[in-house]
Amino acid sequence: MEMTTRARVRDGDPDAFGELFDECARAVYNHAFRLTGNWSTAEEAVALTFLEAWRLRGKVDLEGGPLRPWLLGIATNMVRNFTRASRRYSAAVSRIPPPEAIPDFADELAGRLDDTEQVRFALSLVNKLRRNEREIFALCVWSGLDNIEAAEALGIPVGTVKSRLSRARAKLRKLVEESGEPDVARGQSIDNRESAARPDGVRQS
């Protein structure tokens, strides 16, 4: 009898993890990017998510569907850790005298910055939500998980997912109206589940 992907991952089959990376790396990257608005952090989150998935492989339930919700749940925790560490780092840096100005060489990054402009605008609105609402919105709207998958990803009841998502949508509708830029806010940055700036190093599924 052929082993399922879940069983192979749980047994630590390297080929199964390679297939899982090919299938889900882009989704993990997009989720992390949409939570942080930073492509470099998102790239690091991908690497750490799969390292953590390897460490936690023994806890994979043999019953169930695709492992994308499990990976996105791990990625969400990685982003939380990044956010906490970033706050501590920013507080420490703020106490250091600023260095001498260095000429800007932004031309090389112009493409990346152009790609992220709308996502950053969306994040400026989404970041006004509570953290638990923001995470649910990112999982359900941007990453396309259904309520059951999002509940699995975060380890919370389905009813909690529904209520948080409803609150998030209501708050965002109000914020979009107040922003004065409904076309941008309702475009790819907030509502599109698939598109996000992605570095060449992350393979598509």
Side-chain angles (χ1 to χ4, degrees):
M1 182 176 179
E2 186 177 353
M3 295 179 68
T4 65
T5 298
R6 282 177 173 262
R8 292 170 63 206
V9 166
R10 181 164 178 162
D11 286 351
D13 182 343
D15 290 336
F17 268 88
E19 294 166 9
L20 193 63
F21 182 90
D22 289 339
E23 179 183 349
C24 298
R26 183 180 183 183
V28 171
Y29 172 85
N30 284 349
H31 179 60
F33 180 83
R34 285 158 174 162
L35 285 177
T36 65
N38 185 298
W39 59 264
S40 180
T41 298
E43 283 183 318
E44 190 171 354
V46 171
L48 291 178
T49 292
F50 280 91
L51 284 173
E52 184 70 358
W54 176 263
R55 189 180 72 83
L56 297 175
R57 64 189 183 280
K59 296 183 178 181
V60 171
D61 193 333
L62 294 178
E63 301 295 329
L67 286 168
R68 188 166 69 112
W70 177 63
L71 287 172
L72 292 181
I74 294 174
T76 300
N77 287 331
M78 293 297 102
V79 171
R80 287 177 187 169
N81 292 338
F82 276 129
T83 302
R84 294 190 191 103
S86 178
R87 290 197 190 105
R88 291 194 293 268
Y89 176 79
S90 296
V93 168
S94 67
R95 296 190 290 270
I96 300 174
E100 183 179 352
I102 300 174
D104 187 7
F105 53 94
D107 288 347
E108 295 180 24
L109 301 178
R112 291 184 187 273
L113 296 178
D114 288 343
D115 288 341
T116 64
E117 182 178 354
Q118 285 191 318
V119 176
R120 290 187 186 283
F121 174 78
L123 285 172
S124 72
L125 302 183
V126 174
N127 284 339
K128 294 179 182 178
L129 303 175
R130 293 181 178 179
R131 188 191 72 185
N132 55 25
E133 296 168 347
R134 185 168 64 249
E135 292 172 351
I136 288 293
F137 183 85
L139 287 170
C140 293
V141 178
W142 280 338
S143 293
L145 299 191
D146 60 30
N147 292 335
I148 295 175
E149 291 172 330
E152 177 188 345
L154 297 178
I156 59 178
V158 174
T160 302
V161 171
K162 292 180 179 178
S163 61
R164 289 179 183 176
L165 182 58
S166 177
R167 288 197 302 269
R169 288 184 182 277
K171 290 179 181 179
L172 282 174
R173 279 195 294 270
K174 183 177 180 181
L175 289 169
V176 167
E177 292 172 358
E178 293 174 350
S179 73
E181 298 189 49
D183 292 337
V184 175
R186 290 171 183 160
Q188 71 174 33
S189 298
I190 286 185
D191 288 338
N192 193 316
R193 297 181 177 186
E194 296 299 330
S195 62
R198 181 180 58 84
D200 295 336
V202 177
R203 292 175 285 176
Q204 297 186 22
S205 57

